[in-house]
Amino acid sequence: MTEGLLEGKSVKRSFFDAPEGVDGHLPHWYTEARTAAWKDYEEVPWPKRKHEAWRFADLKKLAFDDIVDAAEVDEAEGADLITRSVALEENAGRIIFANDRLIADPLLDAEFAQKGVIFKPLSQALVEDTDLVRLSFMQEPARLGSVKFAALHRARLRDGIFLYIPKDVSLSRSVEVFHWLSGENAAIFPHSLIVSGPGSSAAIAEYIASAGRQPGFCGGVTDLVAGENSRLTHVRTQNLSEQAHSLHVSSSLAADGANIRAFVLNLGCKWSRSESIARLSGEGAGTDMLAVCIPEDSQEMDMRTLQLHEKTHTTSNLLYKNALYDEARTIFAGLIMVEEGAQHTDAYQTCRNLLMSDQCEANSMPGLEINADQVKCSHGSTAGPITDDELFYLRARGIPESAARQLMTFGFVKGAVDGIGHDALEKVVLEKIDRRFRRILS
Amino acid sequence: MSSIEIKDLHASVDGNEILRGLTLTVPKGEVHAIMGPNGSGKSTLAKVMAGHEDYQVSSGEVLLDGKNLLEMNVDARARAGLFLAFQYPAEIPGVSNANFLRAALQARLPEGEEIDAVAFYKQMYDRMDELGIDRKFTGRSVNEGFSGGEKKRNEILQMTMLEPKYAVLDETDSGLDIDALKVVAEGVNAMRSPERGFLVITHYQRLLDYIVPDHVHVLSGGRIIRSGDKGLALELEEKGYDWVKEEQLATT
């Protein structure tokens, strides 16, 4: 158990031990798949940098020792983490986990429970709503390189959330999920499965953060499944310790006329990777993929995306914005794939990097694969510093240099936050970004 | 003391001396125009006054109410009361006009003091209405995607909000059609007061039909070669810049 995650000469392996058993009352289909997943994890080879899906990634940074399954937090820490679990001023419900265990009773407003909304721990939903969960649980293969880690997630998954919005129900306030990671070298595997029925709408925020500054690992999965003409907004913020590692695999599936907005904020981790797949599997479906990364020191943030257009009149809009400080690195690899017959596709992909130091490094690999002829697609990536002209202009109005830089950097990333299109959630995200900048500049 | 005094100013860019002993005083309450042919140093003067780092001052002084501007950094000069309306205003993506103006005003307050947001918005909307700027521009990024005329109006909006002691208008008329020019001139004229001085830099006399100057100076070869009243601008328009240059040569 004390061996590192990487194989090779000096590198040891961790998660050497099979995961602990799960409660016997969980459905057979689930436990069987869990056992199979552990075998998959062991069999799938470790990624190599020469693999296209891992190009530019510093795999050495993924090497870490002594990772252990996170243990239950004690009562005092649990109470402290509950008081720290505050984001939206108003929500329709919230669930708080520390080390993948509930630390407070899950809340969902009665108004929505009566309408048939399900918002509960996954462990509970697996038993109580097993058919609903089974339909959508980890149906999307991890196509962007992390097959091994998706298997690891499935094999070691302890808990997460299941959100289900029935047909034509509108969740007028957002629900929130807090995931705390606590303890030296602790590993968590948060899971979110979000399913919207036809014509429904909902917004959900997931906050993943470390309780302290210790190293640890987070291997999360988020799956969004939007039914016909439904609307889903999802926000995930990652604010883990700067010693931690994170590997998150997300997917979204949009049926006819469905619309999904997914936003990711990456702040913490020594090394983090985020894979996002948006599948537009219904006619007229649309998605917005948005992200903001603000790495400093020697943080590496690696984002891999796929916009998969399978049907006609589908729209996707990707906007990723990175502000890099110190010796930070970002990697963006995005592919727009338009399948045969997916005519009248509109697909856009933009990754912008604001370089706040001379030592930082932004890598962009945009890509297009178009197999239909009536499409509008564009991709572009930029990397550059704040220009002297911009800085001079602000200073010529009396704004001191540091404030001018902060204003411009904040403005730069805000462009992606604006795409969330949900005032309360935008406010939560902007507050986190503002705190981040204040800390970097202080 | 209540003036901008430029004394024997020498400045260069990339080793080329552009300003060669420029001397000029703009007292509060007056509007001075500087006219000059291309390459005479008009824009260099504006940038040197504002503190642009590409320009090196080798000698001379610029005093704002007796304080040496050249010893201050760019933003301190602005807070001391100098305003430069840019010939080519920069686009600042992501920073809204409202946040920009707010930050600029906030920078002028003592530490710990916060801007009154309600009063700020009221003032901004009033000024925008006066300048015929659509209120939706408050939320738009500074100058991003603005037309030439919109950018110039935005400069004047900033000037009216920041209420400087002295304003330098660098070829504010360039790229403006006659309607936009009138709006911009009205904005400037409304700001004229015994408490404020203006230095209007222009290539053409046209702007001075709308912003009527108290004094006109001709800049050539990096120094003022002739000064007069507003009649000088008309004479220049009629006879061209070569006329003053030739006259200058004849008398020296």
Side-chain angles (χ1 to χ4, degrees):
Chain A
M1 187 73 203
T2 55
E3 302 188 32
L5 200 59
L6 265 176
E7 47 189 2
K9 299 181 283 279
S10 59
V11 194
K12 298 167 279 181
R13 298 177 62 199
S14 104
F15 293 122
F16 187 72
D17 299 336
E20 58 189 298
V22 288
D23 281 356
H25 66 275
L26 287 174
H28 185 63
W29 67 264
Y30 178 79
T31 54
E32 218 172 40
R34 181 181 163 98
T35 309
W38 179 248
K39 260 188 83 182
D40 288 346
Y41 169 70
E42 291 199 305
E43 281 166 12
V44 175
W46 192 264
K48 289 195 172 63
R49 199 170 164 160
K50 66 179 183 194
H51 298 156
E52 186 60 26
W54 290 84
R55 220 174 133 202
F56 292 115
D58 187 350
L59 285 164
K60 277 192 230 93
K61 281 199 179 150
L62 186 51
F64 50 91
D65 298 329
D66 304 334
I67 284 296
V68 292
D69 284 323
E72 197 170 348
V73 299
D74 65 33
E75 211 170 303
E77 189 182 6
D80 173 52
L81 292 175
I82 291 169
T83 63
R84 289 166 66 184
S85 301
V86 180
L88 286 168
E89 282 166 19
E90 273 194 318
N91 62 33
R94 63 113 180 88
I95 297 181
I96 309 173
F97 295 99
N99 288 354
D100 288 339
R101 292 161 178 90
L102 277 181
I103 55 170
D105 288 334
L107 299 178
L108 175 66
D109 287 359
E111 173 195 350
F112 299 114
Q114 278 156 16
K115 288 179 180 166
V117 172
I118 300 170
F119 180 54
K120 59 172 74 158
L122 183 68
S123 56
Q124 197 181 331
L126 276 167
V127 178
E128 296 170 1
D129 314 283
T130 190
D131 293 338
L132 262 182
V133 173
R134 186 178 189 177
L135 267 178
S136 308
F137 180 77
M138 292 198 81
Q139 292 299 302
E140 205 50 47
R143 308 172 197 227
L144 297 176
S146 283
V147 175
K148 187 174 180 77
F149 300 102
L152 177 68
H153 170 91
R154 188 165 187 166
R156 301 195 93 87
L157 167 62
R158 173 177 275 275
D159 216 338
I161 61 102
F162 178 57
L163 172 65
Y164 174 77
I165 318 293
K167 187 171 185 284
D168 295 329
V169 170
S170 165
L171 198 61
S172 51
R173 293 186 298 282
S174 309
V175 292
E176 298 180 283
V177 186
F178 295 85
H179 282 284
W180 294 100
L181 170 62
S182 175
E184 188 84 12
N185 296 320
I188 58 171
F189 299 91
H191 190 97
S192 294
L193 176 58
I194 296 144
V195 180
S196 58
S200 67
S201 73
I204 174 168
E206 250 182 280
Y207 316 107
I208 301 175
S210 290
R213 294 169 178 276
Q214 293 155 317
F217 178 79
C218 177
V221 168
T222 300
D223 289 325
L224 309 173
V225 182
E228 281 172 36
N229 299 312
S230 67
R231 300 179 67 84
L232 276 179
T233 303
H234 180 263
V235 166
R236 174 163 58 87
T237 65
Q238 181 273 107
N239 199 5
L240 291 159
S241 137
E242 298 207 358
Q243 298 302 312
H245 295 72
S246 164
L247 206 157
H248 206 102
V249 179
S250 315
S251 78
S252 73
L253 185 65
D256 290 355
N259 193 288
I260 299 178
R261 287 179 187 216
F263 174 90
V264 182
L265 175 65
N266 272 313
L267 300 179
C269 284
K270 180 192 275 182
W271 184 95
S272 71
R273 180 176 165 110
S274 183
E275 296 181 8
S276 303
I277 298 169
R279 247 183 87 191
L280 299 152
S281 62
E283 285 185 17
T287 188
D288 286 274
M289 302 170 82
L290 306 158
V292 169
C293 294
I294 309 172
E296 59 169 341
D297 297 331
S298 57
Q299 283 180 284
E300 176 172 312
M301 295 185 177
D302 187 346
M303 318 287 283
R304 313 270 166 163
T305 66
L306 173 63
Q307 294 152 266
L308 187 53
H309 290 256
E310 299 179 349
K311 289 283 162 61
T312 60
H313 296 284
T314 48
T315 306
S316 68
N317 241 314
L318 179 147
L319 180 60
Y320 277 31
K321 292 206 163 184
N322 306 322
L324 297 85
Y325 291 81
D326 308 322
E327 286 143 37
R329 292 180 88 221
T330 57
I331 299 155
F332 170 78
L335 178 65
I336 294 174
M337 181 168 325
V338 181
E339 294 198 340
E340 215 172 305
Q343 303 295 6
H344 307 290
T345 281
D346 275 4
Y348 305 99
Q349 182 196 87
T350 306
C351 177
R352 298 199 189 286
N353 294 281
L354 187 61
L355 310 177
M356 301 298 289
S357 83
D358 295 335
Q359 291 84 43
C360 62
E361 180 190 313
N363 302 281
S364 290
M365 293 173 284
L368 285 174
E369 200 179 311
I370 300 174
N371 300 302
D373 50 13
Q374 294 172 53
V375 299
K376 274 192 249 168
C377 289
S378 76
H379 65 69
S381 63
T382 56
I386 288 174
T387 68
D388 290 345
D389 282 351
E390 291 167 347
L391 197 57
F392 180 67
Y393 189 76
L394 267 71
R395 294 184 66 200
R397 296 297 175 254
I399 303 170
E401 181 168 350
S402 62
R405 284 186 185 279
Q406 195 179 350
L407 199 61
M408 281 186 279
T409 315
F410 194 82
F412 169 78
V413 297
K414 189 173 177 291
V417 179
D418 288 343
I420 298 171
H422 187 294
D423 289 348
L425 288 173
E426 285 175 18
K427 190 167 169 241
V428 168
V429 170
L430 290 174
E431 278 166 3
K432 286 177 189 291
I433 291 173
D434 190 47
R435 276 200 297 276
R436 173 71 166 178
F437 283 137
R438 280 171 201 275
R439 226 211 57 204
I440 289 175
L441 293 167
S442 67
Chain B
M1 279 287 276
S2 287
S3 62
I4 281 208
E5 265 185 281
I6 304 167
K7 294 183 188 169
D8 193 26
L9 188 63
H10 290 257
S12 54
V13 61
D14 297 331
N16 301 316
E17 193 174 56
I18 310 286
L19 300 183
R20 300 171 179 175
L22 191 147
T23 298
L24 177 70
T25 300
V26 181
K28 260 188 193 162
E30 294 188 3
V31 173
H32 287 228
I34 287 195
M35 300 184 70
N38 290 331
S40 59
K42 298 193 300 290
S43 282
T44 298
L45 174 62
K47 296 239 171 73
V48 167
M49 289 175 77
H52 198 288
E53 281 156 9
D54 287 352
Y55 299 83
Q56 294 85 42
V57 174
S58 50
S59 65
E61 281 188 319
V62 181
L63 304 176
L64 187 150
D65 294 345
K67 283 178 287 181
N68 190 351
L69 273 186
L70 301 180
E71 285 172 358
M72 302 180 200
N73 68 31
V74 180
D75 42 283
R77 293 180 195 201
R79 293 193 300 275
L82 181 74
F83 182 90
L84 169 62
F86 284 79
Q87 184 179 4
Y88 303 110
E91 300 190 1
I92 314 292
V95 180
S96 71
N97 270 312
N99 284 343
F100 174 57
L101 281 170
R102 207 169 152 161
L105 286 166
Q106 181 70 49
R108 287 161 169 78
L109 294 181
E111 197 151 335
E113 217 174 286
E114 284 284 326
I115 272 188
D116 176 349
V118 177
F120 164 72
Y121 273 96
K122 186 184 179 319
Q123 188 194 7
M124 183 172 57
Y125 286 142
D126 287 351
R127 299 283 158 86
M128 290 175 84
D129 293 350
E130 285 160 20
L131 289 166
I133 299 174
D134 194 314
R135 289 185 180 193
K136 70 171 192 276
F137 276 71
T138 48
R140 281 182 54 183
S141 296
V142 177
N143 296 330
E144 196 179 39
F146 286 23
S147 70
E150 285 165 348
K151 283 181 182 169
K152 295 300 172 75
R153 271 185 226 204
N154 208 25
E155 293 293 289
I156 303 304
L157 171 66
Q158 291 167 26
M159 182 174 75
T160 63
M161 290 295 287
L162 299 176
E163 300 181 335
K165 291 179 187 155
Y166 299 94
V168 178
L169 277 54
D170 186 9
E171 306 219 17
T172 292
D173 50 331
S174 71
L176 289 192
D177 62 31
I178 196 72
D179 293 329
L181 186 70
K182 281 181 184 168
V183 173
V184 165
E186 277 167 24
V188 172
N189 287 331
M191 291 280 289
R192 287 176 83 153
S193 103
E195 294 307 309
R196 190 169 288 125
F198 287 89
L199 187 59
V200 179
I201 295 172
T202 182
H203 187 83
Y204 300 104
Q205 186 270 337
R206 188 180 68 155
L207 178 66
L208 305 181
D209 287 341
Y210 300 97
I211 303 173
V212 180
D214 299 301
H215 296 276
V216 174
H217 309 276
V218 180
L219 181 66
S220 179
R223 54 201 300 181
I224 302 292
I225 56 166
R226 185 157 174 167
S227 297
D229 62 12
K230 63 183 176 190
L232 178 58
L234 293 167
E235 215 171 337
L236 270 177
E237 182 80 356
E238 196 183 314
K239 299 183 179 169
Y241 283 110
D242 287 343
W243 160 69
V244 262
K245 280 194 217 167
E246 282 162 17
E247 247 195 5
Q248 172 84 356
L249 282 173
T251 55
T252 51

